[in-house]
Amino acid sequence: GAVGLYGGLLTQFSESALAGYVDLAASSKLVSVSSVDFLILSLFAFEPIKEDMSRRGWWGCYGENDVGRLAAFCFPVLGPAAYVLLRPALKD
């Protein structure tokens, strides 16, 4: 589902599609509120995931690659889902 959506978005992106989205956002409160909500949730996903990575020993143990790994897990929808599936067990 989500992978197909991202693939379609990347292959069908054009100026006319962007103009259509802007028109839709201007005329529909649902689209504009959902877009702002999506943006805010995506921006604020970094800190909770970083904290959980630290608790599980995934932050600071691989050197300079930490930020890249964190950014990959914060990719909307797929990133947090992949993180939940791939993260190690919590140490007692």
Side-chain angles (χ1 to χ4, degrees), residues 17-85:
L18 182 60
Y21 173 77
V22 170
D23 290 340
L24 189 60
S27 64
S28 172
K29 290 180 183 179
L30 177 65
V31 173
S32 57
V33 169
S34 297
S35 298
V36 171
D37 184 44
F38 184 73
L39 177 67
I40 290 171
L41 289 174
S42 297
L43 290 174
F44 287 104
F46 285 98
E47 191 60 35
I49 291 177
K50 180 182 171 189
E51 179 185 344
D52 191 64
M53 289 173 87
S54 296
R55 290 180 184 199
R56 294 173 190 274
W58 256 18
W59 185 262
C61 60
Y62 294 109
E64 297 176 11
N65 196 21
D66 288 336
V67 175
R69 185 182 316 104
L70 177 62
F73 285 133
C74 290
F75 192 70
V77 180
L78 295 179
Y83 178 71
V84 168
L85 291 173

